[in-house]
Amino acid sequence: MRENPDRTAGDRHMTYKAPRGTRDVLPEESWKWQRVERVFRATADRFVYREIRLPVFEETELFARGIGDATDIVRKEMYTFTDRKGRSLTLRPEGTAGVVRSFIEHSMGRGSRLTKLYYFCPMFRYERPQAGRYRQFWQWGLEAIGSMNPAVDAEIIHFSVNLFESLGLAGAEARINSAGCPTCTPSYNELLRDRLAGSLDQFCADCQVRYERNPRRMFDCKNKHCLELLKDAPSILESLCDECTQHFASVQDLLSRMSVRFVVDTSMARGLDYYTKTVFEVHYAGLGAQSALCGGGRYDALVEELGGAATPACGVSSGVERLMTALEDTGVMAAREPGPSVYVASLGSDAALAAATVIAELRKSVSVETDYQGRSLKAQMKEAGKLGAGHVVIIGEDEVARGVAVVKNMTTGEQDEVGVEKVAALLVERLASAGGGT
Ligand code: HAM
């Protein structure tokens, strides 16, 4: 077993930290994630996509063939390991290849229906960690498999923008481009090679490899100097075949009719090789260098490439950590975590027994917190306020002796004394009529 390079010799007796490029989502934050996931699932329901849950690892070959040998993901970023039987497996760096593998394996394409799937799960890429870039990150994604119709591309772009808007994120911008198809990309590749041949020696070593293997991958370079050299490179839009030109025009027409704001960005390069025709990203400027909230497009050749019948498809995936940062940046997520509906405060062992009955009854339908540290009633009231509880039930020594409890509405400050056996029913009724209760 090799030593962890992030540890030095003196570190050996230190406690452990989350591996480089990974992070814990603590309870202070996880409620925000739950909200994003809830809104995402509700949006997927409205657009009628159904969930697929896939293995965390797949055969390495699936990603090498699906994503492309010349991509950074396959060349440098995969977490690949050999299992005890010598199989080469890889932690999924993205979701599309696995979805397509599953689509083929389970013959989902039977009949003429479009298969519309979604996922919300972690991905793994060995990238240099920085703001908005992790080695384990979460993606929500959609894949619609089985149609050439440009309306599917428009639906997926609409979904992405609509989701960001539903979450309260204004100012996200959709950028669209076309990646062409096998009819038009060979001539574009030749045109690019011709135009770049004179300056090839000024590009980085990676770009020189990309030039040979797939010159369009050069747009994917993270080196500023290379991107500067590419500034005057010809746009693919000028080389598109009639079918791709028509498809791209239809997508734009549909987006305009759906009032989805977008710009055409001919410099946009996607980091995966499977794209054909429409490609798009939605960016949020406040995120700095890693500003892409989501990216996707059409991949009409992938199903066949991975062993299925020729089937056109289109999809999108989005980095959830980046989305969280954008939401926090705009203040949308600054709101306080919702508190429990009820806090039950009690003092003394008899009161604690009476409280246990009330709590058990309430927890059939509402969220309840209580004290197990033996704190004073004053400290418990303070805790209830800090947690943001909607109501507090107070059972002190005096109350338990008289068989009552005090019910306090923390918003209005009003309080009533109620027979202890009636507390739960009263609160459930009040919370229901106020539309609350969790
Ligand atoms: P991708 O552009 O590689 O596309 O990733 C999609 C999104 O995942 C990015 O826009 C970004 O928000 C997020 N992301 C990517 N890498 C990282 C990282 N290291 N840390 C944090 N977030 C990251 C795909 O994965 C394709 N499967 C999209 C697709 C689906 N195309 C068709 N269907």
Side-chain angles (χ1 to χ4, degrees), residues 66-275:
I67 299 169
D69 281 336
T71 59
D72 278 1
I73 299 180
V74 172
R75 289 178 59 220
K76 311 181 203 167
E77 297 169 2
M78 296 209 298
Y79 277 95
T80 297
F81 60 97
T82 308
D83 77 1
R84 288 172 189 274
K85 283 272 164 66
R87 302 176 186 93
S88 180
L89 300 169
T90 294
L91 297 185
R92 59 181 177 220
E94 60 105 49
T96 312
V99 169
V100 169
R101 192 263 313 137
S102 177
F103 173 86
I104 299 168
E105 185 173 339
H106 300 287
S107 309
M108 290 186 220
R110 275 189 314 251
S112 62
R113 276 195 69 76
L114 179 66
T115 304
K116 293 170 55 171
L117 303 166
Y118 78 77
Y119 46 87
F120 191 102
C121 54
M123 305 295 168
F124 306 85
R125 294 185 193 176
Y126 192 83
E127 290 195 82
R128 184 202 289 266
Q130 54 171 261
R133 200 199 278 164
Y134 301 94
R135 289 182 174 171
Q136 174 175 332
F137 59 97
W138 285 71
Q139 277 188 347
W140 63 256
L142 305 180
E143 311 295 347
I145 309 177
S147 173
M148 277 297 263
N149 193 334
V152 175
D153 316 30
E155 174 174 288
I156 285 174
I157 298 171
H158 179 212
F159 179 102
S160 309
V161 173
N162 188 276
L163 173 67
F164 298 141
E165 280 171 0
S166 304
L167 284 164
L169 189 66
E173 182 190 70
R175 302 179 189 171
I176 65 169
N177 194 13
S178 176
C181 72
T183 308
C184 44
T185 48
S187 56
Y188 179 60
N189 285 347
E190 278 323 299
L191 181 67
L192 260 186
R193 284 202 185 95
D194 274 2
R195 294 279 185 89
L196 299 176
S199 53
L200 188 59
D201 55 347
Q202 297 173 49
F203 281 90
C204 72
D206 273 353
C207 275
Q208 304 205 5
V209 175
R210 291 177 181 126
Y211 178 88
E212 295 302 335
R213 287 186 169 191
N214 178 356
R216 281 172 300 146
R217 286 264 69 85
M218 294 168 85
F219 290 103
D220 197 25
C221 188
K222 289 165 185 130
N223 183 323
K224 279 200 181 109
H225 181 64
C226 296
L227 293 178
E228 191 58 38
L229 289 169
L230 284 168
K231 258 196 165 154
D232 297 324
S235 149
I236 188 163
L237 295 187
E238 291 149 35
S239 301
L240 292 183
C241 64
D242 287 350
E243 190 190 308
C244 286
T245 304
Q246 186 94 59
H247 190 97
F248 194 47
S250 299
V251 172
Q252 293 179 60
D253 205 13
L254 285 157
L255 289 176
S256 302
R257 282 174 186 264
M258 296 159 113
S259 306
V260 175
R261 280 188 302 119
F262 67 91
V263 291
V264 173
D265 177 0
T266 55
S267 70
M268 189 211 307
R270 303 279 303 121
L272 307 98
D273 273 351
Y274 48 60
Y275 291 112

